[in-house]
Each structure stands twice: as C-alpha cells, then as structure tokens.
Amino acid sequence: SWLIKWTGKDYKNYAWIVFIPIVIFFITAISNGANLTDGIDGLATGTSAIIGSCLAILAWVSGNIIFANYLDIMYIPNVGELTIYISAFVGATLGFLWYNTYPAQIFMGDTGSLAIGGIIAVFAILIRKELLIPIMCGIFIAENLSVIMQVSYFKMTKKKYGEGKRLFLMAPLHHHYQKKGYAEPKIVQRFMIVCIILAVTTILTLKLR
C-alpha cells in the first residue's frame, strides 16, 4: 500500500495499479521458469507435482475457517473447492511423470510446460498466496536467474574484453550439472529434494511468522 499512498486517502481504489503488474510478472516468470526447467526428463513434471501438492494444502486451509483462524491467515470462502482442481492437476502431472521419467517416452514441450507454470502462478494468486511464490517455486526461479545471469555476464564480458565469459558451464542450471558429469536421474532427484524442502518451508510460513 505504501507504493500508492501518495495518491491520497482513497489510495486503496488504486491498488490495481500495483497489483496488475505484479500478477503479470509472476505469471510470466513462473511460466518461463517451468519452461526452462523442462530440459531433462521428469524435472519440470516432478517439481510441478510437488508445488501443486503444496498449493492444495494452502488452498484447503485458506478455505477452512477453523484452520484459517488458527493460523491467522486470510479466510477465503469457498476457495477450498479449488483443492479439487489442483488435486486433479497433481494427479495429471504424476500420471504424466510415469512416462516422462528417464528415459522419457513422452514429452510435454513448450505448450505443456508454459501451461503448467501458468496454472501454478494463477492458482497461487487466486488463493492469495502470491507472495509465497518465490519460496514455493524456488526451482523455477533459480532456473530463470541462471539464464539471466549467464546471458548478462556473457554480454558484459564480451563488451568489456571482446570475448564473452560464462558463469555456468551451461544454462539453465540443470544443464550446468549435466556438463559436470552428473547423471540425469541424480539431477532430477536432487532438484526434487530441494523442491520438497521449499514446499515444506512454504507451508511452515503459515505458522512461523
């Protein structure tokens, strides 16, 4: 609210001026992050299933007045119904993951990964947990940042020294570990472990505030 208080006592009427760009940013960032994560078998699908499970818990407690009051979070009437949708999303990703694990038999492509990222971002916004996206979707954000850092550093060093240098062996981040000799299944497993830790941390923030 402090961003728009300069507009006067009716500043709340202009909250959409700040909210809409934030929504656009989150949807774009997470969609792109999911797309970048979909570079090795099972990575985007597995992490999306974990994030979806986290969102299901957040939606359920937000729509339950008893838990919402206990956790001192915003109670949103009927939002618990969205748990059904996100549970279907998790089920779909797990079903897809069965055939997408290494060596993959099927691939989702850009259409699938961008849609998955969009669903996650929009769902988080619908249940008013958009500020938890940076923690919950940490893997997607790390993949995004690795590309941004790689490209920026390469361009900067090329302009300065005439030859571009790299921060990572290859971007996005999972390809860096591939270049270091890690097997695909090991990279996916470790990224998923990190994703589980981030999901648990996200849920813990409901009480640890």
Side-chain angles (χ1 to χ4, degrees):
S1 61
W2 57 271
L3 290 172
I4 52 173
K5 279 189 176 179
W6 57 271
T7 57
K9 61 181 180 180
D10 295 325
Y11 70 92
K12 289 185 179 179
N13 295 330
Y14 303 99
W16 60 271
I17 296 174
V18 176
F19 185 68
I20 289 177
I22 290 173
V23 167
I24 293 170
F25 173 77
F26 275 133
I27 293 174
T28 304
I30 301 306
S31 294
N32 194 54
N35 184 239
L36 291 172
T37 304
D38 187 35
I40 53 179
D41 298 342
L43 182 56
T45 317
T47 51
S48 296
I50 295 166
I51 294 168
S53 301
C54 178
L55 285 170
I57 295 170
L58 294 175
W60 189 79
V61 297
S62 296
N64 186 299
I65 193 168
I66 297 173
F67 279 98
N69 288 336
Y70 172 71
L71 296 169
D72 194 25
I73 61 174
M74 181 189 295
Y75 167 64
I76 310 172
N78 301 319
V79 80
E81 300 296 326
L82 289 174
T83 307
I84 299 169
Y85 174 82
I86 201 66
S87 297
F89 170 82
V90 172
T93 52
L94 290 175
F96 187 87
L97 182 61
W98 185 268
Y99 298 98
N100 187 235
T101 50
Y102 181 84
Q105 296 170 272
I106 55 175
F107 306 91
M108 69 173 76
D110 290 349
T111 304
S113 57
L114 288 169
I116 281 176
I119 289 169
I120 289 170
V122 170
F123 194 91
I125 292 164
L126 284 174
I127 63 172
R128 305 311 303 269
K129 299 295 183 288
E130 59 270 15
L131 295 182
L132 293 177
I133 287 176
I135 304 173
M136 182 170 47
C137 301
I139 295 293
F140 294 167
I141 291 171
E143 298 277 23
N144 264 331
L145 290 176
S146 67
V147 173
I148 293 169
M149 291 166 65
Q150 182 88 318
V151 173
S152 300
Y153 187 72
F154 185 86
K155 288 183 176 180
M156 184 182 71
T157 51
K158 187 174 183 179
K159 185 177 180 180
K160 189 173 182 179
Y161 303 111
E163 182 180 354
K165 297 181 180 180
R166 293 173 172 82
L167 285 172
F168 304 100
L169 296 177
M170 189 175 177
L173 189 59
H174 56 265
H175 289 315
H176 170 76
Y177 292 106
Q178 272 188 303
K179 289 289 186 181
K180 292 190 77 171
Y182 288 88
E184 276 193 33
K186 178 170 281 191
I187 297 170
V188 173
Q189 289 164 10
R190 290 185 175 177
F191 270 56
M192 287 177 69
I193 289 170
V194 172
C195 192
I196 290 170
I197 293 170
L198 292 172
V200 171
T201 303
T202 302
I203 295 168
L204 288 176
T205 61
L206 295 176
K207 192 61 181 172
L208 301 178
R209 286 180 292 136

